[in-house]
Structures are given as C-alpha cells and as structure tokens.
Amino acid sequence: MVGPRIPESEIRRMIFYLSQGYTTKEVADKMGLTIKCARYRIIRLRQRLKARNTVHLVCMYLFSGDTDKCE
C-alpha cells in the first residue's frame, strides 16, 4: 500500500527535529501529528533512502547521500 507523498517541507522539518535529538514523540508533538503517523513517516523515509536506522537517515539526508562523512 502506497500512502500519500510527504511534502518536502515536512520532510525537512522532521529531519531538522531528528537531527536536534528529538524523540519520535517530540517530533510528533512539534509537527501536530500522532505518534503513529510520525513513526510511519520516519519508516517510509528510511525505506525510501535505504537508511539502516534513524541516525543514518538524518546523515544521508543532510549530506545528500554521501554516507562516507557519517562513518
């Protein structure tokens, strides 16, 4: 099942909050989402970018896929 596309502005906000160390619950609160929705969106982003975990997702997004800078 493919859900609606996440707007780029929401992706940037979510990545910003995650990069600042906020938990999924805190990200959900700040963005006005349910925890389930925020968790689902993070999972979808991880799958789309083939990130191993949330830290890897943030690093890949911030460095435009250049994961050598993350390790």
Side-chain angles (χ1 to χ4, degrees):
M1 181 174 123
V2 176
R5 226 168 132 66
I6 303 170
E8 187 66 27
S9 60
E10 283 192 29
I11 293 172
R12 282 194 301 270
R13 280 181 61 205
M14 188 171 286
I15 294 293
F16 172 77
Y17 292 136
L18 291 170
S19 72
Q20 297 299 306
Y22 289 102
T23 64
T24 303
K25 181 183 183 322
E26 292 169 330
V27 171
D29 289 342
K30 290 193 171 288
M31 295 185 68
L33 303 170
T34 65
I35 296 171
K36 185 177 177 181
C37 182
R39 187 177 298 130
Y40 177 72
R41 288 181 182 194
I42 291 168
I43 289 169
R44 283 181 47 208
L45 289 173
R46 283 181 48 200
Q47 290 172 342
R48 189 167 90 188
L49 295 178
K50 296 178 176 62
R52 292 184 295 266
N53 53 44
T54 304
V55 173
H56 191 218
L57 167 69
V58 170
C59 191
M60 289 178 72
Y61 191 85
L62 293 176
F63 292 106
S64 300
D66 190 359
T67 57
D68 292 338
K69 295 178 183 178
C70 301
E71 300 174 7

